[in-house]
Amino acid sequence: MPAKVPWLPSRVPPGASPERCARCQRLAVIPWTLRRDDRTKVVMRTWVCTECQRVEERPEPE
């Protein structure tokens, strides 16, 4: 069975407050998904740039 490919947004949703992307310099980085790290049990938020599709994980306060 092939691996799942995550769907990433291609535009900033209405009402979102985007951050500036380090790669393309556009205001297009939005919070996307949450996951819990299996080893450390820390909650991580995936942030994605809607323009260049750069993905970054950051710790999320609980």
Side-chain angles (χ1 to χ4, degrees):
M1 211 167 152
K4 290 184 179 181
V5 177
W7 177 81
L8 297 175
S10 60
R11 64 179 75 121
V12 176
S17 52
E19 296 181 3
R20 189 161 305 277
C21 178
R23 181 188 296 162
C24 68
Q25 301 303 313
R26 295 185 176 132
L27 280 175
V29 178
I30 58 170
W32 195 237
T33 59
L34 285 172
R35 73 171 187 86
R36 187 174 297 273
D37 188 290
D38 291 333
R39 289 183 299 116
T40 62
K41 304 302 182 202
V42 173
V43 177
M44 301 294 284
R45 165 89 57 191
T46 301
W47 290 71
V48 63
C49 177
T50 58
E51 295 291 328
C52 68
Q53 301 293 295
R54 179 176 173 263
V55 176
E56 174 185 354
E57 280 197 328
R58 302 178 190 170
E60 182 82 2
E62 292 193 41

